[in-house]
Amino acid sequence: MGGITKFRQWIQESRRIVFFGGAGVSTESGIPDFRSVDGLYSQKYKYAPETILSHSFFMSKQAEFYEFYRDKMIFLDARPNITHIKLAQLEAEGRISAIITQNIDGLHQAAGSKKVLELHGSVHRNFCMSCGRAYGMDKVMDASGVPVCDCGGVVKPDVVLYEEGLDQDVLQDAVRRIGEADMLIVGGTSLSVYPAAGLVRYYKGNRLVLVNKSPTPYDKYADLLLQCGLGEVFGNI
């Protein structure tokens, strides 16, 4: 049985599928990932992207942070691709119980998915560091320089920067969902960033599917390994 055929059959037989995705889910929507040859890490800036996207850099050089953030982290023209769309359809059919994403672009919700756990936050949510007031993306995009709340406080994106911890409630929900899953699809992630990558260990079933163009540290544990693009896989189900 071919890999795609088996993948399709397992989906039809499952009712508590969890999809765990990384940057590779959104590359086909035109959003570059960090670690590929064309990703942000291989581009040249005054500071390394890892440095700019750190909590300490945000606190000390906010104007430079926002210049990079607006230019390289927000993609207003990005639209859901076939993977986002198919996942939303499978959720509507009652097959997917949760989508766990490391992405901050909101494309799963744009495609219609309802139960999305965002491990690293979202560019669509922002908050005042002084009074806690919530803002949408327009507050950041329309500001010149550092966005400021009506109270005078700095508005910060609700995204997890380097040196910051993940939201423990979201993380615990992700652990629970994976533990209850009858099929776990891991796609578009190198499984090299912790603690997110460690979530795979909580899956106890026998339908672990890894879809990634390059090898991952968890390939040997996969019940089905598909080393190709997500669009190729989800475009055939």
Side-chain angles (χ1 to χ4, degrees):
M1 184 185 296
I4 300 288
T5 302
K6 181 183 288 188
F7 182 64
R8 190 186 302 121
Q9 177 183 325
W10 284 359
I11 286 176
Q12 292 301 315
E13 295 172 351
S14 302
R15 290 298 181 272
R16 294 188 311 281
I17 301 170
V18 170
F19 178 85
F20 175 40
V25 178
S26 293
T27 51
E28 291 178 30
S29 291
I31 297 179
D33 69 66
F34 270 33
R35 289 175 175 77
S36 71
V37 174
D38 299 318
L40 289 177
Y41 280 12
S42 62
Q43 299 177 23
K44 305 300 181 186
Y45 297 96
K46 183 178 179 182
Y47 301 95
E50 305 100 308
T51 300
I52 300 173
L53 297 174
S54 68
H55 178 81
S56 54
F57 189 94
F58 175 83
M59 297 303 291
S60 62
K61 296 182 174 65
Q62 287 170 347
E64 290 174 89
F65 170 89
Y66 272 107
E67 182 180 9
F68 179 89
Y69 182 78
R70 291 189 187 97
D71 187 37
K72 297 297 180 183
M73 302 304 293
I74 295 180
F75 298 86
L76 296 176
D77 295 331
R79 297 293 179 266
N81 60 51
I82 188 65
T83 301
H84 297 108
I85 293 167
K86 288 285 188 175
L87 287 169
Q89 291 174 354
L90 291 171
E91 184 188 46
E93 292 172 9
R95 301 186 188 283
I96 285 189
S97 60
I99 291 171
I100 303 168
T101 181
Q102 298 175 77
N103 298 332
I104 59 175
D105 50 50
L107 290 180
H108 284 296
Q109 292 93 330
S113 291
K114 306 298 183 188
K115 186 58 182 179
V116 182
L117 302 180
E118 295 173 313
L119 294 176
H120 296 155
S122 172
V123 297
H124 296 277
R125 297 190 303 270
N126 304 273
F127 64 93
C128 173
M129 297 177 69
S130 296
C131 73
R133 179 177 173 181
Y135 288 96
M137 192 193 296
D138 289 349
K139 183 67 174 179
V140 172
M141 297 305 293
D142 294 344
S144 59
V146 180
V148 177
C149 177
D150 293 343
C151 79
V154 172
V155 175
K156 181 181 184 294
D158 187 12
V159 299
V160 179
L161 302 176
Y162 289 98
E163 304 165 354
E164 294 179 346
L166 302 189
D167 184 299
Q168 289 303 300
D169 290 338
V170 175
L171 194 59
Q172 288 175 13
D173 198 4
V175 168
R176 180 179 65 82
R177 295 278 181 168
I178 289 175
E180 296 172 350
D182 57 5
M183 180 176 181
L184 176 61
I185 306 169
V186 181
T189 173
S190 62
L191 291 175
S192 60
V193 177
Y194 286 82
L199 288 172
V200 179
R201 297 197 308 266
Y202 291 95
Y203 178 62
K204 306 304 181 186
N206 59 1
R207 290 180 175 176
L208 171 59
V209 183
L210 296 188
V211 186
N212 202 52
K213 290 181 178 180
S214 57
T216 81
Y218 285 81
D219 287 0
K220 60 186 176 184
Y221 303 113
D223 299 299
L224 179 60
L225 184 62
L226 300 172
Q227 287 193 322
C228 54
L230 280 161
E232 181 180 344
V233 174
F234 280 91
N236 283 287
I237 65 169

